[in-house]
Amino acid sequence: MKTQLRLVPHYEVIVCPPEESFRWYSHDYPWHLAKFNYHPEYELHLNRISSGTMMVGDYLGDFGPGNLVLTGPNVPHNWVSNIAPGEVITTRDMLIQFTPDWAEKLAGLCPELGRLRALFDDAAWGVEFTGSTARDGARMLEELQTATGPDRFFLFLRLLETLSRDPADRRRLSRQAPLEAAALPGQVDRAMRFLNENLSEEIDLSTAAAKAGLTPQTFSRAFKRQTGHTFASYLVMTRVYAACTALTQSHAPITEICFDVGFNSIANFNRQFLKITGRTPSDYRRAAHRIAAEGREPTEQFSPPQKRFSGRKG
């Protein structure tokens, strides 16, 4: 019997110098801290020159040069480059890290910075920047390397304002909602709890509506209004996410996982999985296990035994 594999992110301790509002640094790849990790700080991460596979929250996908991603507090993340044995990529990564308290102070500093709050909210899911926002953001992130004093702070502020300017140039990566997402009305919340606890069962709109104490029509409207999804599409996404977790954390056969999460057809499971994740289940598993293997070296000084990832904060 194969040993069960669990993809557990390392807890990374971030130390920001007391004379600085945020931490900027760059490192090569491979690097002892370039592994699947999480921390309470926000992180803006630029991959400058390589290609490979990234995992942000439950998202797993390809990345290339210029990949710019903002992760929120406690969102696990890692970038694994496709390199030859013994190869080293110099200054592959440039990044900024700053605390949630500092982010909250900036967002509330003045009305002109109000858009930062929406940016930080998106970061709870992990957000990738595209288009001119990604290009301008990468350029300013690199300029911060030599900036000092007040100029450094003003450039940092300009960088955040640039990232917040155009929501069309950013996309959420993770499919799982942050744990501290806005509270749902009691009826919808009861139905969602029932759904999450009974994924392997036959669940339809009428059953969920009954659990919510509403008629199917009223429940359908309330569910769409509160979640932004139809009940059917949300059910499929939740089952696919549960499959992602099982594929990542075990060696169970894919067919077994398919039925465990509530799909009644392997063909439908494969089709829906590919549609939502952009990968086949087997490809997703191989990439996730590869990322897990990248983070198996001892890291005691960076991973206190009492710290373990248990959820994502909003």
Side-chain angles (χ1 to χ4, degrees), residues 95-254:
L95 52 100
I96 287 176
Q97 294 159 330
F98 52 97
T99 67
D101 286 345
W102 181 234
E104 182 62 28
K105 289 176 182 177
L106 285 177
L109 185 61
C110 59
E112 288 80 1
L113 295 177
R115 287 184 300 208
L116 292 185
R117 200 171 298 281
L119 174 66
F120 295 147
D121 287 345
D122 279 350
W125 309 71
V127 60
E128 180 182 23
F129 300 96
T130 59
S132 61
T133 299
R135 292 190 294 273
D136 293 342
R139 174 179 51 78
M140 284 187 272
L141 180 55
E142 296 203 35
E143 289 175 2
L144 276 164
Q145 180 176 10
T146 56
T148 58
D151 289 340
R152 185 174 186 267
F153 169 74
F154 293 139
L155 181 55
F156 172 59
L157 207 55
R158 283 180 50 219
L159 169 59
L160 291 181
E161 197 280 328
T162 297
L163 297 178
S164 69
R165 192 176 299 163
D166 189 355
D169 273 359
R170 60 181 189 257
R171 68 178 182 117
R172 290 176 174 181
L173 296 175
S174 184
R175 289 173 297 276
Q176 186 182 30
L179 293 183
E180 274 69 37
L184 295 170
Q187 300 100 319
V188 176
D189 183 64
R190 285 198 299 273
M192 292 183 73
R193 289 179 185 274
F194 170 77
L195 185 157
N196 290 329
E197 292 169 3
N198 297 275
L199 279 179
S200 62
E201 306 298 325
E202 288 286 341
I203 302 173
D204 57 21
L205 178 64
S206 297
T207 303
K211 292 296 179 181
L214 300 172
T215 67
Q217 294 81 3
T218 301
F219 173 73
S220 180
R221 289 194 298 270
F223 193 92
K224 178 65 179 296
R225 183 171 60 251
Q226 296 299 324
T227 68
H229 301 282
T230 65
F231 177 77
S233 64
Y234 184 88
L235 178 59
V236 169
M237 286 191 297
T238 301
R239 283 174 166 162
V240 167
Y241 170 69
C244 288
T245 302
L247 289 166
T248 297
Q249 296 184 352
S250 77
H251 293 284
I254 292 175

Side-chain angles (χ1 to χ4, degrees), residues 254-266:
I254 292 175
T255 301
E256 179 181 314
I257 291 172
C258 160
F259 294 111
D260 282 349
V261 300
F263 286 94
N264 55 19
S265 160
I266 188 67

Side-chain angles (χ1 to χ4, degrees), residues 31-94:
W31 183 253
H32 66 285
L33 292 181
K35 64 187 68 176
F36 195 44
N37 73 89
Y38 73 103
H39 43 73
E41 293 78 13
Y42 287 88
E43 177 173 309
L44 179 65
H45 183 279
L46 171 66
N47 181 284
R48 298 177 57 248
I49 42 182
S50 71
S51 299
T53 303
M54 66 175 172
M55 179 174 276
V56 178
D58 66 63
Y59 173 84
L60 192 152
D62 298 331
F63 72 87
N67 172 254
L68 186 65
V69 172
L70 178 66
T71 54
N74 296 327
V75 177
H77 50 272
N78 190 25
W79 287 260
V80 178
S81 292
N82 299 323
I83 59 174
E87 181 182 357
V88 174
I89 304 175
T90 305
T91 62
R92 183 195 75 160
D93 302 284
M94 283 189 176

